[in-house]
Amino acid sequence: MRTLRDSWDYLTTGANWGGSEGMWHLLVQQLLITFTALAVAMAIGLSIALWLGHLGRAGFLAVNVTNIGRAVPTFALLAILVTLNHPGTAELGPYGRAGLATLIALMLFALPPIFTNAYVAVREVAAPVKESAIGMGMTGSQRFWRVELPLAMPLVVSGVRLALVQVWATATIAALVAGPGLGTLITAGFYRTDYPKGIAAAFVVAVVAFVLEVGCALLERAVDPNRKGTATRLGPTRPRVTSGVGA
Amino acid sequence: MPVTLLVGDGISIQPSCYSRLVNKWYCNDYLKDRHHDLTSALGQHLEITAWSLLLGVAIAFPLALLARRLPRLQGLIVGASTMIYTIPSLALFPFLVPFTGLSMKTVVIGLALYALTILVRSMLAGLLGVPDEVRESAIGLGYGRTRLLFRIELPLALPVMMAGLRVATVSTVALTTVGTLVSYGGLGNLIRDGVQNDFKAEILAASVLCVVLAVALDAVIVGCQWLATPWTHRRRVT
């Protein structure tokens, strides 16, 4: 119990939040890493997955990518990237020590959920809807932008949400290989048997994870075209893709 | 830079491929000389994964049964387990340490809590997927609650449950590496040691073993499922 009270004291002491080693700095750093990795993964994953989904091809690829991605521990991937000459542990601007290695590992980690959900979402838009769009004389790109994408949106966003929360959680692991982020406080707390510090940082990480999760859930509801008005669901039915690794 | 080590009598000895001077990613000598390290880490990895999954199943099964019996609790149980899932594993261990100390228990409990989310969902989905007609005809045939559960519902729910178990197993194997924070990470301990000492052969060997273990356990579960559900692949008699 004393450890927990000390952790609370650590959290409520202003000095622990400020400065270049403070929690604010590390929190912002980890958020920056998370969103950069997610943005890159979205740029790559979404464009390919939505396109393939529109064409309705390469379904086996989507499934296999996710399955293989699950089996590779992010920690192992990080360790290998950090030990290579490039990217290694080089500083990368605001991303801190081993910034590039962390970004690459997290980006690869975010790809499977984004890719699979986006692919399935576009692929499984109800066939009658697609057919009537063709019947109305819509071109391929019109069908994609006006019909398939809006209907696929909820599932696409849920994939991004899954990836966001997982990437945030996994970003803490970077500290095990001397990387950036709030994880550094957790590992430092352990190795120097300063548990209150580790627990305090863990608490902050958990709270942010929860806030991200809830925020995304609200966003997901906001973009669902089926929520307002029409009673029948035209898009693909919900949870098709089970969640992956929450590291 | 070619390096030769001169020993007293002038015979030069080639440094082994995992020495600091060569430090290759793949090194047969390392696998040969240090296989005790690798097997003991693999053993610990397997032990942690197995206990976590057993504990996860032991908690998830009653919860799934409870959630099915009392639909009101369903949202609560699924919601609470999802909330645990959002806590990063590296952040979960510090919360457990004041109670369990730096022991294997910390890692096992943490990982079991993760597996719980996936397991509860799949078990519940499996049980809810049993058709009502089947359940009703079994009751009509005089099946009691327990016999209904074990003879009718569980076998029918097995494929969906096993799918959940596979996902849980593969992710637990991967997550076990993070247990190195409290020095019980199986192969993760070797990976961390490798990073700290810039020991490439160790990192690669441990990483590859990790993936191999995940794939092997997945195959074992698929095999068990095949054996446990003979009706899915028995030749149809016309």
Side-chain angles (χ1 to χ4, degrees), chain A residues 91-114:
Chain A
E91 285 266 347
L92 182 74
Y95 300 108
R97 192 164 177 270
L100 190 59
T102 312
L103 281 177
I104 294 174
L106 291 180
M107 193 273 288
L108 289 175
F109 185 65
L111 269 179
I114 292 179

Side-chain angles (χ1 to χ4, degrees), chain A residues 76 79 83 172 191 202 205 209 244 246-247, chain B residues 85 88-91 191-192 198 203 207:
Chain A
T83 316
T172 44
Y191 299 155
V205 172
Chain B
Y85 201 74
S89 52
L90 201 66
I191 297 177
R192 199 184 81 194
D198 190 26
I203 298 178
S207 303

Side-chain angles (χ1 to χ4, degrees), chain A residues 40-54 114-115 118 144:
Chain A
V40 177
M42 277 169 74
I44 300 170
L46 283 185
S47 50
I48 298 175
L50 292 176
W51 184 59
L52 285 178
H54 175 68
I114 292 179
F115 186 91
F144 175 72

Side-chain angles (χ1 to χ4, degrees), chain B residues 202-218:
Chain B
E202 190 177 33
I203 298 178
L204 190 68
S207 303
V208 170
L209 268 181
C210 232
V211 178
V212 170
L213 181 64
V215 173
L217 286 182
D218 192 45

